[in-house]
């Protein structure tokens, strides 16, 4: 059993940082997209992952569960780009607060700056308090996941030389 653990650790260390960033981005987008859908399903937020579709006038499918799951899949793919952005801009910052701030910045970009692009999305002052708190919390947790994971792998690569 110990030999298997050593082989597993060795295999993980052999992965290049770029692949680790890709996996982190995909898994982060998928996991936090699903959590966002659960929060939407249980009415913790009025805005679900299908927010992506609100930039276009699409059929009613975009409001249904199918639209939510397709949006989650797209979020996982888009999250890869977000993870690489974080890797090249913020990876050297080892504090967890960098990830928290990154998630909050993403929330501001989507809910404040990009708000006019999303048809039917109320402006932030018009959103319910629970929607603001829930979505901001989700984005902060997502940013923390992406940021801390990538910064950790970046530091491990720097110190181990893999």
């Amino acid at each position: 059993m110990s030999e298997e653990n050593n082989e597993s650790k060795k295999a993980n260390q052999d992965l290049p940082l770029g692949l680790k960033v890709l996996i982190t981005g995909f898994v982060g987008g998928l996991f936090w997209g699903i959590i966002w859908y659960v929060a939407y399903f249980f009415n913790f937020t009025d805005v679900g992952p299908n927010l992506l579709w609100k930039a276009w006038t699409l059929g009613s499918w975009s409001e249904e569960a199918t639209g939510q799951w397709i949006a989650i899949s797209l979020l996982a793919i888009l999250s890869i780009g977000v993870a690489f952005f974080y890797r090249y801009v913020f990876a050297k910052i080892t504090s967890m607060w960098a990830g928290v701030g990154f998630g909050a910045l993403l929330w501001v970009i989507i809910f404040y700056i990009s708000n006019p692009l999303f048809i039917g999305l109320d402006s932030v002052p018009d959103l319910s308090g629970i929607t603001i708190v829930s979505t901001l919390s989700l984005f902060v947790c997502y940013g923390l996941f992406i940021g801390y994971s990538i910064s950790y792998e970046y530091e491990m690569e720097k110190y181990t030389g893999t």
Side-chain angles (χ1 to χ4, degrees), residues 85-138:
F85 176 80
Y86 189 93
R87 187 268 181 254
Y88 288 110
V89 177
F90 300 113
K92 293 180 182 178
I93 304 171
T94 57
S95 171
M96 73 173 209
W97 296 108
V100 170
F102 182 68
L105 177 66
L106 288 175
W107 186 86
V108 167
I109 289 170
I110 291 172
F111 283 89
Y112 270 106
I113 297 171
S114 300
N115 187 294
L117 297 175
F118 300 118
I119 299 165
L121 178 63
D122 294 334
S123 63
V124 173
D126 295 333
L127 291 172
S128 67
I130 193 155
T131 295
I132 293 170
V133 170
S134 296
T135 55
L136 182 58
S137 298
L138 284 167

Side-chain angles (χ1 to χ4, degrees), residues 1-12:
M1 186 78 159
S2 175
E3 190 173 307
E4 288 177 14
N5 287 341
N6 288 339
E7 288 177 16
S8 176
K9 287 180 184 178
K10 176 97 172 105
N12 188 33

Side-chain angles (χ1 to χ4, degrees), residues 27-40:
V27 169
L30 184 65
F31 179 77
W32 291 105
I34 291 171
I35 297 297
W36 189 2
Y37 182 49
V38 169
Y40 174 77

